[in-house]
Amino acid sequence: MQQQSILLLFLALAGITTIVFTYIFFSSRKAVESQGMANPLKKRFWFLLILFVVLGIFASVTIPKSPYYLFADETPTKVYHVAAMQFAFLISEKAIDLLKPSGDDNIELPVDELVEFRVTSLDVNHGFAIYNESNRLITQVQAMPGYVNRLRYKFNEPGTYNILCLEYCGMAHQVMRSSFIVK
Amino acid sequence: METLKLKKVTSGWIITILTLFIVSIVLGILMRLNQGGVIQQSAGTFYSNMTTHGLTMIGIWFVAGMAAVNYLLQRYVKTSHGPNVFALVLTIIGVILLWTSTFIGDFHAAWTFLYPLPFKDMGAAPWATLLFLISLTVMGIGWLVWSVSLMAQILKKYSISQAFAWQHLRKNPTFETPPFILITMITLVGVIACLITAVVLLILFYAEYFSNGNFVNDALLMKNLTYFFGHTIANEMLYLGLAVIYELFSEVSGRPKWKTTWYVALAWNLSLIFILTAFFHHLYMDFVQPEGLQIIGQLASYLASLPAAGVTVFSIFIAVYQTKINWSITNLLFFIGVAGWVIGGLGAVIDSTISNNIVLHNTLWVPAHFHTYNAMGNVLFSLGFFYWFSTQFIDKLVMSQLTKFSLAILLIGGTGFLLAFYIAGADSIPRRYSTYPEELSVGVNMATIGAIFATLYLTAILIFFYNISKRCLKILFSPS
C-alpha cells in the first residue's frame, strides 16, 4: 500500500533526524573543551553531494510515475463526464449540459479496462477523490470551474467505490459524496 | 531614545502575537474535538473557526519573524520606527475586521479563500465577504509598507550586490556582508513579491465583486496567484526565523559569529529562486496546468531542501558538535526548532513528489507536515527570540524547573498532536472536514488523540506566555 510505505519512510527519516540532533546535542553537553568538527567543509561537501544524488534518484524514479503520464498512450474504453457542484457530483456517460445539468442514476464501470473521467465544476473548486472498498484513497483530480481535468484509471478490483470531495467547497463539503460500482 | 521606542513596539508585537496565538490554538483544539465527536459544533461554526485559525496563525508568525528581524536589523542599519508601528496598528485592525467577518459574519471560505468560493460562501452574512477582503487589504498594506521600508534601509547602507552578497561568489572579497543582512534581503524580496501578488489577487476579487457580473475571473489563474501568495508567505516566515537564528545562535551560545562564505551566499541566492517556483506543487491535481510547471514544482521543492540542509542545518551541526556552548532556553528552542523544521520538511518533500501527492493531496498529511515546521519549527524560532528579547535587559537567568517542564510538555504534546495528523493522513482521512463519514472512523479517533496532545502543547505555551509577557509588559510600561 503506497500510503503505508510513505508513512514508514517518513517515520524512519524523522527518527534518524531525531537521533542525529540528539546525538549532536549530547556531544556538546559532554564536551569538556571545544573540539568542534574536523574538516567541516569537506564533510559539508559530501553531505550535500549525497543528498543531491539521493534526491536526483528519487526525482528520476518518481517523475515518470506522475499521473499525467499514466495510461497516456492508451485509449480509454469508456469516458465518464463528471460535473461537481455544491454539494453533489453529477456523473454521466453523455456530455453534461451546463445549462441543464443532470447525471445518470447508477454508474457501473468495467473492471480491468481503462476509463477516463472528464471532471469539471459548475460553481467552486471541488476535489474528485476515489476511495476503494478499504476506504483508501486511490486516485484524485481537482474539479475546477471553466476547465476540464481528465483522469484516467484502470480498476482491477470489482466493488463499490466512494467519491469524496477533497477540496474545501463550503458548508456541506464534508457530506459531498457519490459512489459507483465496478463490475 | 530610538532604541527605547523599538523595544516598546517589539514588546507590543510579542504580547499581541502570543495572545492571538493562544486564541488560535484554542480554536484548533475545538476543531479537533469536533472532528473527534467530543463536542458538537455546526459545520458553519467549524469552518468559520478554521478560517480564523488559519489566517490568524499565518499572520502572527509572519509578523513575529518581521518584528524580530526589524529589532535585530537595528544593529546594522538605522530602521524607521513609523512603518513598524504602522504595521502593528494595521495588523490589529486587520485582525479585528477578520474576526468580525468570521465570528459575526460567519465567513468561512478558509484562509486560502480559493476563488470563487468567497463569492459562493453560502450561509455567511452578505457583508462578510467584503469585510474579509478589506481585512486582508488592511493587513497587506501594513506589511508591504513595513517590508519595503526595511529593504530601503538596507539598500541605503549596502549596494544591491553587497546586500545579496554577490562579491562572495568571487575570490577574496574585500567586503563581508553579514549573514543576517543577506538572509533578510533574500527573504524581503520574496515577501514583497508575494505581497504584491496578494495586491493583484485582491484587485481581481474586488473587480469581480463590484462589476455586477460583467467581469468574471479565471479560476486557474486565481489559483496560481493564491498559492504563489499563500505558499510564499508561509515559507518566507520560516526564513525570517532563520535570519534570527543566524544572528543569535552563536551569540547566545558564546561562540564566534557566523560568517558569510561563498557557499552561504550561493545557497541563499539559489533559495530565492526555488522558493518562488515551488508553489506549483499546490496545483499538481489540476491536470490542465501545463506539465512543465508541474515538474518545475517537484524539482524546485526538492532543490529548495539542498541549500537549507547543506548550509543552515549543517552550520547548526558544526556549531554544536563537540563544542562547549552555553545552553539556554533560547538556543535550545532554536536547536529543537531546526529539528522540527527538518522533520516537517521531510514530510513536505514526500508530499511534493507528484506520484505521492495523488494519494496525499488534501488529506491530513498536508496539515501534518505544515504544522510540524510551524508549531515545532517556526514557533520555536520566534519563542527563542521572544525569550532572548525579554531577558536581555535583566540579570542572567537560569533555566527554571518550570521552564524545563514546559519545554518537555511542548515536545510531548507537539509530537503526539502531529503523529495523529500523519497517521490519519496516511489513512486517507481528508483535511478540512468538520466531521467524518462513518467509514472513516480512524479520523475520529485520531482527532480526539490530537486534541489531547494539543492541550499539552497549549499548556506549555501558556507557561511561556506568562513568563515572556510579564517581562514584555514591564518593558512596555517602563519610563526608560
Side-chain angles (χ1 to χ4, degrees):
Chain A
M1 224 87 82
Q2 194 183 353
Q3 285 100 323
Q4 292 310 314
S5 326
I6 288 172
L7 181 64
L8 286 177
L9 172 70
F10 170 74
L11 290 176
L13 292 173
I16 292 168
T17 307
T18 311
I19 291 167
V20 169
F21 271 83
T22 313
Y23 171 73
I24 288 179
F25 173 71
F26 281 107
S27 82
S28 155
R29 292 295 290 260
K30 274 191 264 168
V32 185
E33 53 188 281
S34 296
Q35 291 170 319
M37 192 184 281
N39 286 328
L41 201 62
K42 208 171 163 186
K43 288 204 176 84
R44 191 195 297 265
F45 172 78
W46 281 107
F47 176 66
L48 258 175
L49 188 70
I50 293 168
L51 196 64
F52 183 76
V53 171
V54 168
L55 282 173
I57 294 170
F58 218 69
S60 53
V61 170
T62 57
I63 287 177
K65 289 185 182 164
S66 300
Y68 327 118
Y69 310 121
L70 287 182
F71 313 115
D73 300 330
E74 296 175 49
T75 309
T77 48
K78 281 213 159 186
V79 171
Y80 296 91
H81 301 267
V82 180
M85 56 192 280
Q86 286 172 321
F87 296 97
F89 292 99
L90 303 175
I91 307 172
S92 173
E93 290 193 43
K94 296 189 294 287
I96 296 172
D97 181 356
L98 297 185
L99 297 174
K100 275 188 278 174
S102 69
D104 302 344
D105 286 338
N106 294 309
I107 301 288
E108 280 189 12
L109 272 64
V111 71
D112 285 330
E113 284 181 38
L114 182 63
V115 297
E116 178 174 292
F117 299 97
R118 294 189 183 162
V119 184
T120 190
S121 167
L122 303 178
D123 40 46
V124 301
N125 287 284
H126 297 278
F128 177 78
I130 301 174
Y131 282 67
N132 67 11
E133 287 201 324
S134 325
N135 300 312
R136 191 156 290 277
L137 172 59
I138 52 169
T139 191
Q140 65 170 311
V141 75
Q142 290 269 304
M144 181 181 269
Y147 288 89
V148 177
N149 283 318
R150 297 194 296 172
L151 173 69
R152 292 181 172 187
Y153 201 81
K154 209 177 265 182
F155 295 91
N156 300 321
E157 302 277 331
T160 305
Y161 290 73
N162 286 321
I163 302 166
L164 297 185
C165 178
L166 276 199
E167 183 63 58
Y168 174 62
C169 60
M171 200 83 109
H173 166 59
Q174 73 285 357
V175 291
M176 176 170 165
R177 60 188 296 156
S178 186
S179 64
F180 58 81
I181 291 168
V182 171
K183 267 195 187 169
Chain B
M1 193 60 197
E2 275 303 308
T3 320
L4 179 68
K5 274 189 192 169
L6 186 60
K7 275 196 297 194
K8 284 184 185 286
V9 70
T10 307
S11 301
W13 273 120
I14 293 174
I15 295 165
T16 310
I17 289 160
L18 287 177
T19 310
L20 295 176
F21 185 39
I22 288 166
V23 177
S24 302
I25 298 177
V26 171
L27 290 178
I29 293 174
L30 289 177
M31 281 154 61
R32 293 302 265 159
L33 287 173
N34 194 64
Q35 291 170 328
V38 181
I39 60 167
Q40 265 85 39
Q41 288 178 328
S42 71
T45 306
F46 177 92
Y47 292 124
S48 292
N49 288 348
M50 183 182 83
T51 306
T52 315
H53 170 88
L55 200 53
T56 309
M57 287 291 199
I58 287 285
I60 58 175
W61 296 112
F62 168 69
V63 293
M66 286 288 287
V69 159
N70 191 147
Y71 185 78
L72 294 169
L73 199 57
Q74 189 73 11
R75 294 172 163 193
Y76 300 96
V77 300
K78 192 179 160 353
T79 58
S80 317
H81 187 60
N84 196 349
V85 177
F86 180 69
L88 175 58
V89 173
L90 259 57
T91 301
I92 294 171
I93 296 172
V95 168
I96 293 169
L97 297 178
L98 166 73
W99 287 16
T100 310
S101 79
T102 54
F103 287 137
I104 301 172
D106 292 326
F107 181 82
H108 56 263
W111 89 266
T112 42
F113 56 102
L114 197 56
Y115 173 85
L117 187 57
F119 295 143
K120 298 181 180 182
D121 191 12
M122 290 180 226
W127 48 266
T129 297
L130 185 60
L131 190 67
F132 175 82
L133 294 176
I134 292 171
S135 78
L136 289 183
T137 311
V138 169
M139 286 188 270
I141 291 170
W143 300 348
L144 194 55
V145 168
W146 194 15
S147 319
V148 171
S149 98
L150 291 183
M151 187 187 272
Q153 297 302 331
I154 292 176
L155 291 177
K156 267 188 194 166
K157 181 167 169 188
Y158 302 90
S159 68
I160 288 187
S161 67
Q162 284 172 345
F164 285 104
W166 289 337
Q167 78 278 9
H168 285 278
L169 301 176
R170 288 192 295 270
K171 272 190 178 168
N172 306 321
T174 49
F175 179 86
E176 198 204 325
T177 305
F180 181 75
I181 293 295
L182 164 67
I183 302 167
T184 303
M185 187 66 189
I186 294 276
T187 311
L188 286 175
V189 173
V191 166
I192 292 171
C194 81
L195 289 176
I196 290 173
T197 308
V199 171
V200 174
L201 185 65
L202 286 169
I203 289 172
L204 291 173
F205 264 107
Y206 285 124
E208 182 165 334
Y209 187 87
F210 290 112
S211 75
N212 290 324
N214 295 320
F215 173 73
V216 177
N217 279 292
D218 179 276
L220 187 60
L221 173 68
M222 293 295 269
K223 198 170 191 180
N224 274 289
L225 290 173
T226 301
Y227 285 112
F228 181 81
F229 156 69
H231 172 86
T232 310
I233 198 162
N235 276 265
E236 294 296 355
M237 62 193 202
L238 277 156
Y239 288 91
L240 290 167
L242 289 179
V244 173
I245 291 186
Y246 269 74
E247 181 67 16
L248 288 183
F249 190 86
S250 49
E251 187 177 314
V252 295
S253 306
R255 300 293 305 159
K257 222 174 169 70
W258 290 356
K259 287 191 177 323
T260 303
T261 53
W262 66 268
Y263 54 85
V264 171
L266 181 67
W268 278 96
N269 277 275
L270 287 175
S271 289
L272 179 62
I273 302 167
F274 302 143
I275 296 164
L276 296 183
T277 46
F279 80 94
F280 287 123
H281 62 219
H282 290 270
L283 287 101
Y284 285 159
M285 294 303 114
D286 292 280
F287 292 2
V288 284
Q289 176 98 325
E291 274 165 26
L293 298 181
Q294 312 284 28
I295 307 301
I296 288 174
Q298 178 163 342
L299 294 179
S301 309
Y302 277 28
L303 289 170
S305 66
L306 285 174
V311 176
T312 304
V313 178
F314 209 80
S315 296
I316 290 273
F317 287 172
I318 292 171
V320 175
Y321 182 69
Q322 289 197 344
T323 304
K324 198 171 160 48
I325 62 181
N326 313 327
W327 284 105
S328 66
I329 185 74
T330 296
N331 51 10
L332 205 49
L333 282 167
F334 286 159
F335 190 72
I336 299 168
V338 172
W341 176 52
V342 172
I343 295 171
L346 290 167
V349 167
I350 288 174
D351 192 26
S352 74
T353 306
I354 305 169
S355 57
N356 290 337
N357 190 258
I358 194 154
V359 292
L360 296 178
H361 184 71
N362 282 348
T363 66
L364 284 176
W365 190 274
V366 183
H369 80 252
F370 72 67
H371 277 90
T372 313
Y373 56 65
N374 284 321
M376 296 302 279
N378 197 22
V379 168
L380 306 198
F381 298 166
S382 288
L383 283 180
F385 169 79
F386 294 170
Y387 247 102
W388 172 83
F389 171 83
S390 68
T391 55
Q392 62 172 328
F393 310 109
I394 56 173
D395 294 335
K396 199 171 160 48
L397 275 185
V398 280
M399 233 204 290
S400 68
Q401 288 299 327
L402 184 67
T403 312
K404 281 183 187 161
F405 169 74
S406 56
L407 198 57
I409 56 171
L410 185 88
L411 281 174
I412 296 167
T415 308
F417 152 69
L418 293 168
L419 269 176
F421 266 148
Y422 281 109
I423 293 167
D427 239 322
S428 307
I429 308 299
R431 74 187 283 208
R432 291 178 169 164
Y433 267 35
S434 58
T435 50
Y436 296 114
E438 216 173 311
E439 76 268 17
L440 299 179
S441 58
V442 177
V444 178
N445 300 333
M446 285 298 146
T448 312
I449 294 170
I452 295 166
F453 280 100
T455 309
L456 278 181
Y457 182 90
L458 173 65
T459 312
I461 294 296
L462 284 169
I463 299 169
F464 282 118
F465 172 72
Y466 172 74
N467 281 334
I468 295 169
S469 296
K470 70 174 183 200
R471 291 194 288 264
C472 284
L473 279 172
K474 261 188 210 159
I475 298 170
L476 197 58
F477 294 108
S478 73
S480 62

